[in-house]
Amino acid sequence: MLLSRKNRKPIKIADKQVKEWKYAVCGYCSTGCTLEVGLNAEGKPVASRGKGGAHVNQGKLCIKGIFEHELSESSGRGTQPLIRDKMYEDYQPTTWDYAFDHMASEFKRIQDKYGRDSVAVVSTGQLLTEEFYTLGKLVRGAIGTNNYDGNTTLCMASAVSGYKRSFGSDGPPGCYDDFENTHCLMAFGSNLPEQHPIIYWRLKEALEKRKFPLIVVDPRVTMMAQFADIHLAITPGTDLVLLNALAHVILQEGLQKQDYIDAHCNDFEAFKATVEKYDPTTASKICGIDEDMIRHVARIYANAPSAMSIWTMGINQSTHGSDGVCGINNLNLITGNIGIPGGTSLSITGQCNAMGTREWSSCSGLPGYRALEKEEHREEIGKFWGVDPEFFPKKRGLQQTDIFPAIESGQIKALWIVATNPLTSMPNQPRIKKALEKLEFMVVQDGYKDCETTHYAHMYLPAAVWGEKEGVQTNTERRVNIVRQFVNPPGEAKPDWWIFNQLAKRFENGQKIHFPESTSEIFDEMKVLSKGEKRTLDISGMSHDLIEQNNGLQWPMREGQEVGDQRLYADGVFQTPSGKANLLAMEYVENNEVPDNQFPFWLNSGRVVEHFHTRTKTGKLGNLNKFSPTPYMEINPDAAKDLGINSMQYVRLVSKRGDAVVMAQLTHRVPRDMVFIPMHYHDCVNRLSLGLLDPYSRQPAFKQCAVRIEHVDQAEAAKLNVERRAY
Ligand SMILES: Nc1nc2c(c(=O)[nH]1)N[C@H]1C(S)=C(S)[C@@H](COP(=O)(O)OP(=O)(O)OC[C@H]3O[C@@H](n4cnc5c(=O)[nH]c(N)nc54)[C@H](O)[C@@H]3O)O[C@H]1N2
Ligand SMILES: Nc1nc2c(c(=O)[nH]1)N[C@H]1C(S)=C(S)[C@@H](COP(=O)(O)OP(=O)(O)OC[C@H]3O[C@@H](n4cnc5c(=O)[nH]c(N)nc54)[C@H](O)[C@@H]3O)O[C@H]1N2
Ligand code: SF4
Ligand SMILES: [Mo]
């Protein structure tokens, strides 16, 4: 029955009774949306809203941001330090003092017995930048192990490596405003509408004002591909071939900016000789893209007054991830598209503070993009911290993906995991489990005590998470923004920086080095270290308060500047010894595990909009988890028909490493010879993945391996799914 207009009840949004709004930057992805969290009269977070006028998001948030305040009441949080003698025994509560004493004494015992590097530390892209700096100081300056890295090796390592090889330094050179200026955008293995929804919104806004071609390279028909003008459904793992072929066409047709190349690039001749071999006819047979389409795209890109490329995990997580990044940089260098409005190589970063760890954690060297390999940098930091520079190693140690094999081989005996969940997120999980069982001592420091990796530890340290501590994060466009504390951590959980400070006191050097007692003081210390005429990473013009007043500030921002620089390399001067960028000549080597008769499907993996990573957060929020609570795969309906698989039926996937049971979702998003599984579920995609490593970045090729599909008993599979999370 239709209600008359008079009787209609307007939709009423419940009044949340917000008494105060607190400033924060989102703690999920690297877009860096500014938001405000509403507190009620009791100080309880009851709402989140995008901050109007904030440069990045202008009042908008995606679904994760909208419900972010609900995290303050989520289950599974750790409230006191826990300890046990042996893996698999029950944990017992302990005091912070005992936990620190025990941890330091175990680390020292193991270091005395097996050498300093037998203790490994693996961190994250999700701490505050001040916390990263403090952890680096503790590990490099006091504990003194060289086997120190972060989960960014699973994520951004190829981008970092590629930037360093091409431009002499890390640091994304572009910004979101480039969308407003560009005349062509090419996106490689990046699904913005789901993974960076507000960056996508910025792109869409720009496209609505002024149309320009959008070209998407992805083997799946992602949401981004559906919005594209041209979708290049590339054969997995072959982006370098496409990139070399695009360069081939540009040089052959004389479309390059020769003046820019002559003035600002090294090694043009060697580069030219290599790409000469990648003619579109040959390339198309490898990368699966029609040869005329390759020519067409090359012409559009090179003829645009300005053109930009963005990329994310489809490039980085590959056996030639670093080469792929350099290939993108090559393309932009030869077309003169670096450092100009709308012309850039912009790596879309992953976690909320993946940039902060690259800049300040000392994982890959020393703070502020300094290198262990450079004597002057060791001297400078040694003097600044008050430690003997000889205490520092002279080159970088193992990365995360090499640390686990080193546990296997007995080289590493103790492991400290900070804010990452490798049992779910590392490739080849069966091998990771076996490695962890070999450790003499393992500590997990996480906001959630129920994260899967805790099952393998001897000690668990409860950390404060987003909104329970104060400090900065850097987003994809080098914008530093601040999270203010708006709620207290539960029970005895403590901010990570406080935990690092307390542990430092238990080490000889740690007693000599100054560890400030607040994050704003830590930030001031970083400012001093960032100063320098030639340094791109200069934050000396910023302060916590200025950052909030401006809704985030970009680096470099030197003392005296009102805001930071939007772009790097606008002057065409790069961070290499010659000041010129390197054009890199790179051959494609076929080295993936590819489908065969026994394992006929490509296994691709990635993300969906409602979940974040291993679901320690989003799996707990009904408003997000309800959209995809069950592990599933995308499979093409034609392939499903051949195998007799119906929609919503459970199947078993099998690879050479292991097996996983998932539900089938029939969709044309994937080609007939590929399945796609969201990475978010435990005991799922990474039981199958191989994770061959890129030779430069050591990043795993999560996106490529081979599987077969088998039928399973439906009732048994459903039961397994209920039990899966409770193990
Ligand atoms: N909702 C949500 N957002 C997130 C995250 C999250 O967990 N959830 N995580 C954040 C983090 S840490 C990251 S790193 C980013 C990741 O952001 P994205 O990289 O955009 O996300 P993915 O889904 O991992 O992978 C992107 C695409 O790479 C494609 N791909 C696979 N193989 C190839 C290939 O050989 N070549 C090309 N060109 N493409 C290929 C896949 O089909 C997939 O569509 O997202 C961030 N944002
Ligand atoms: N198959 C497959 N695997 C993948 C990927 C893929 O595309 N496919 N992507 C890879 C990528 S790009 C990434 S980035 C990784 C992510 O992999 P992980 O880093 O393992 O994922 P998270 O679930 O984000 O783990 C972060 C942990 O930190 C905790 N935490 C959050 N905030 C804080 C804090 O402030 N302090 C402390 N101490 N703890 C905190 C969370 O509770 C969580 O347990 O996964 C990788 N694995
Ligand atoms: S786009 Fe990223 S930063 Fe913005 S609200 Fe969503 S998860 Fe947070
Ligand atoms: Mo990531």
Side-chain angles (χ1 to χ4, degrees):
M1 192 183 67
L2 280 176
L3 288 172
S4 73
R5 188 169 284 275
K6 201 170 74 189
N7 292 336
R8 259 190 218 160
K9 292 202 179 89
I11 296 170
K12 247 185 144 178
I13 296 176
D15 183 354
K16 303 262 183 65
Q17 311 274 332
V18 173
K19 287 280 171 285
E20 189 190 357
W21 292 96
K22 286 276 196 164
Y23 184 99
V25 56
C26 178
Y28 286 115
C29 89
S30 67
T31 302
C33 296
T34 305
L35 54 83
E36 290 179 314
V37 176
L39 308 178
N40 68 9
E42 287 86 56
K44 190 181 141 186
V46 288
S48 311
R49 67 179 186 195
K51 180 145 192 278
H55 195 92
V56 168
N57 53 312
Q58 289 149 37
K60 302 268 187 305
L61 291 176
C62 81
I63 187 171
K64 290 182 295 306
I66 287 169
F67 293 112
E68 207 158 359
H69 62 280
E70 293 188 355
L71 282 173
S72 70
E73 290 206 320
S74 59
S75 63
R77 293 295 305 275
T79 53
Q80 58 196 137
L82 302 173
I83 195 162
R84 60 184 175 186
D85 285 338
K86 286 203 190 88
M87 250 171 226
Y88 308 126
E89 279 179 358
D90 285 341
Y91 274 113
Q92 302 301 326
T94 186
T95 62
W96 275 111
D97 260 343
Y98 183 79
F100 291 131
D101 287 345
H102 183 65
M103 191 170 164
S105 88
E106 278 297 273
F107 280 1
K108 286 181 201 166
R109 175 185 69 76
I110 288 168
Q111 286 186 308
D112 285 347
K113 191 164 166 195
Y114 305 104
R116 253 167 53 175
D117 294 339
S118 60
V119 170
V121 183
V122 174
S123 91
T124 182
Q126 295 172 51
L127 300 182
L128 302 168
T129 311
E130 295 87 344
E131 297 182 321
F132 282 127
Y133 173 66
T134 309
L135 177 62
K137 210 186 212 182
L138 167 64
V139 175
R140 294 274 178 228
I143 300 175
T145 173
N146 197 12
N147 293 327
Y148 164 46
D149 194 34
N151 68 0
T152 35
T153 288
L154 311 182
C155 181
M156 303 316 307
S158 296
V160 174
S161 151
Y163 276 139
K164 285 183 179 166
R165 287 166 70 203
S166 298
F167 305 146
S169 171
D170 184 23
C175 59
Y176 305 154
D177 272 356
D178 283 323
F179 301 147
E180 305 271 330
N181 298 289
T182 198
H183 293 83
C184 176
L185 189 138
M186 199 157 169
F188 296 85
S190 174
N191 187 16
L192 290 183
E194 291 209 68
Q195 272 72 84
H196 302 86
I198 301 300
I199 301 187
Y200 179 67
W201 171 74
R202 290 284 301 268
L203 172 61
K204 213 166 132 252
E205 284 270 298
L207 274 167
E208 276 171 14
K209 282 188 208 148
R210 187 180 46 84
K211 181 65 192 140
F212 52 85
L214 174 62
I215 304 162
V216 170
V217 186
D218 196 306
R220 275 169 83 219
V221 192
T222 56
M223 220 183 272
M224 182 82 162
Q226 289 169 44
F227 294 125
D229 300 297
I230 299 176
H231 172 214
L232 306 179
I234 195 163
T235 301
T238 63
D239 296 76
L240 178 62
V241 177
L242 171 66
L243 285 156
N244 277 348
L246 292 173
H248 174 102
V249 176
I250 291 169
L251 297 187
Q252 198 194 32
E253 300 189 3
L255 304 176
Q256 75 272 24
K257 294 256 170 7
Q258 198 62 47
D259 290 355
Y260 187 87
I261 297 171
D262 295 342
H264 302 294
C265 301
N266 291 319
D267 305 324
F268 177 65
E269 290 307 324
F271 167 71
K272 191 174 163 197
T274 298
V275 299
E276 230 155 59
K277 293 181 256 176
Y278 290 77
D279 61 277
T281 316
T282 313
S284 95
K285 293 197 176 72
I286 306 170
C287 70
I289 294 160
D290 178 77
E291 57 178 289
D292 278 330
M293 184 56 93
I294 296 177
R295 292 189 190 97
H296 180 55
V297 168
R299 289 172 196 141
I300 295 177
Y301 203 87
N303 286 325
S306 64
M308 65 186 287
S309 319
I310 61 166
W311 75 91
T312 321
M313 290 307 122
I315 291 287
N316 288 356
Q317 292 173 344
S318 146
T319 50
H320 56 265
S322 174
D323 281 355
V325 173
C326 294
I328 292 173
N329 294 339
N330 284 340
L331 177 68
N332 290 313
L333 286 167
I334 61 169
T335 52
N337 277 309
I338 295 292
I340 61 167
T344 192
S345 274
L346 183 62
S347 140
I348 305 291
T349 54
Q351 302 161 87
C352 56
N353 205 14
M355 282 294 291
T357 186
R358 280 152 76 168
E359 296 157 10
W360 290 102
S361 73
S362 307
C363 274
S364 64
L366 289 166
Y369 286 152
R370 289 177 177 82
L372 284 164
E373 290 76 9
K374 292 191 179 153
E375 193 185 341
E376 71 269 26
H377 288 175
R378 296 196 303 271
E379 294 281 335
E380 190 187 358
I381 297 298
K383 207 166 137 207
F384 191 81
W385 287 347
V387 294
D388 182 355
E390 282 304 308
F391 190 73
F392 300 138
K394 296 189 174 57
K395 69 184 216 302
R396 180 185 187 171
L398 298 177
Q399 286 179 245
Q400 179 178 5
T401 43
D402 291 311
I403 284 175
F404 287 86
I407 298 170
E408 229 170 36
S409 64
Q411 198 185 331
I412 286 170
K413 301 286 187 190
L415 179 63
W416 179 17
I417 299 274
V418 184
T420 181
N421 190 9
L423 201 63
T424 303
S425 58
M426 283 284 287
N428 201 347
Q429 189 209 76
R431 192 172 165 192
I432 300 295
K433 276 190 179 169
K434 271 200 199 146
L436 293 181
E437 281 171 347
K438 289 193 73 175
L439 286 166
E440 286 189 18
F441 184 60
M442 168 157 152
V443 183
V444 167
Q445 175 171 329
D446 199 288
Y448 291 83
K449 70 169 185 275
D450 60 358
C451 81
E452 289 84 12
T453 309
T454 309
H455 292 274
Y456 286 79
H458 300 90
M459 245 173 78
Y460 163 77
L461 303 179
V465 298
W466 183 80
E468 298 168 353
K469 52 189 178 182
E470 200 151 292
V472 302
Q473 298 172 178
T474 310
N475 78 351
T476 290
E477 57 167 4
R478 290 171 285 103
R479 191 177 296 277
V480 182
N481 209 341
I482 188 163
V483 197
R484 295 291 187 189
Q485 183 179 349
F486 52 81
V487 70
N488 288 324
E492 291 173 37
K494 296 285 185 196
D496 295 273
W497 64 266
W498 180 89
I499 298 173
F500 304 145
N501 279 8
Q502 304 311 309
L503 189 68
K505 291 182 185 151
R506 271 81 176 173
F507 287 84
E508 203 187 318
N509 276 1
Q511 291 160 11
K512 287 190 258 167
I513 306 173
H514 175 58
F515 282 84
E517 290 294 330
S518 77
T519 47
S520 66
E521 282 171 79
I522 303 171
F523 190 80
D524 287 341
E525 188 174 313
M526 290 155 50
K527 273 166 64 169
V528 177
L529 269 183
S530 80
K531 243 188 227 179
E533 220 176 286
K534 286 201 180 140
R535 304 187 63 77
T536 49
L537 174 53
D538 191 328
I539 55 167
S540 60
M542 300 180 189
S543 70
H544 275 188
D545 288 341
L546 267 181
I547 291 168
E548 177 172 341
Q549 280 161 30
N550 287 278
N551 297 313
L553 288 163
Q554 282 173 292
W555 62 255
M557 179 165 157
R558 297 167 210 287
E559 220 166 17
Q561 273 184 284
E562 267 185 26
V563 291
D565 296 352
Q566 278 200 299
R567 297 178 185 85
L568 302 181
Y569 316 128
D571 54 2
V573 179
F574 294 87
Q575 300 271 306
T576 54
S578 63
K580 289 185 176 188
N582 300 316
L583 285 170
L584 288 136
M586 298 164 297
E587 296 282 4
Y588 171 72
V589 181
E590 161 71 76
N591 55 5
N592 269 319
E593 180 179 81
V594 299
D596 58 16
N597 284 343
Q598 249 198 317
F599 301 97
F601 287 88
W602 284 108
L603 171 61
N604 185 358
S605 66
R607 296 151 165 80
V608 291
V609 65
E610 63 272 18
H611 279 305
F612 190 74
H613 290 173
T614 70
R615 295 198 307 159
T616 61
K617 290 174 169 182
T618 51
K620 311 274 174 49
L621 303 186
N623 279 322
L624 301 176
N625 198 42
K626 67 182 176 195
F627 294 107
S628 51
T630 308
Y632 70 94
M633 67 168 180
E634 294 178 353
I635 180 169
N636 185 290
D638 295 336
K641 198 170 166 208
D642 287 350
L643 294 169
I645 296 168
N646 298 321
S647 170
M648 308 278 280
Q649 189 177 323
Y650 287 107
V651 294
R652 182 193 310 281
L653 295 184
V654 184
S655 78
K656 285 184 186 157
R657 273 70 55 193
D659 66 342
V661 173
V662 295
M663 208 178 239
Q665 183 190 85
L666 275 49
T667 166
H668 286 285
R669 275 195 293 272
V670 281
R672 206 178 169 127
D673 63 346
M674 176 181 287
V675 295
F676 174 87
I677 305 188
M679 61 153 291
H680 310 293
Y681 308 96
H682 181 62
D683 266 345
C684 193
V685 68
N686 285 327
R687 282 169 66 105
L688 303 159
S689 58
L690 168 58
L692 290 174
L693 300 182
D694 176 276
Y696 296 94
S697 67
R698 313 305 287 157
Q699 181 157 350
F702 278 115
K703 302 268 187 264
Q704 289 99 31
C705 74
V707 289
R708 70 165 172 264
I709 303 171
E710 296 176 355
H711 286 267
V712 283
D713 182 278
Q714 297 299 299
E716 222 176 278
K719 194 163 156 260
L720 177 89
N721 248 325
V722 173
E723 286 165 2
R724 193 188 314 241
R725 195 74 199 177
Y727 99 97

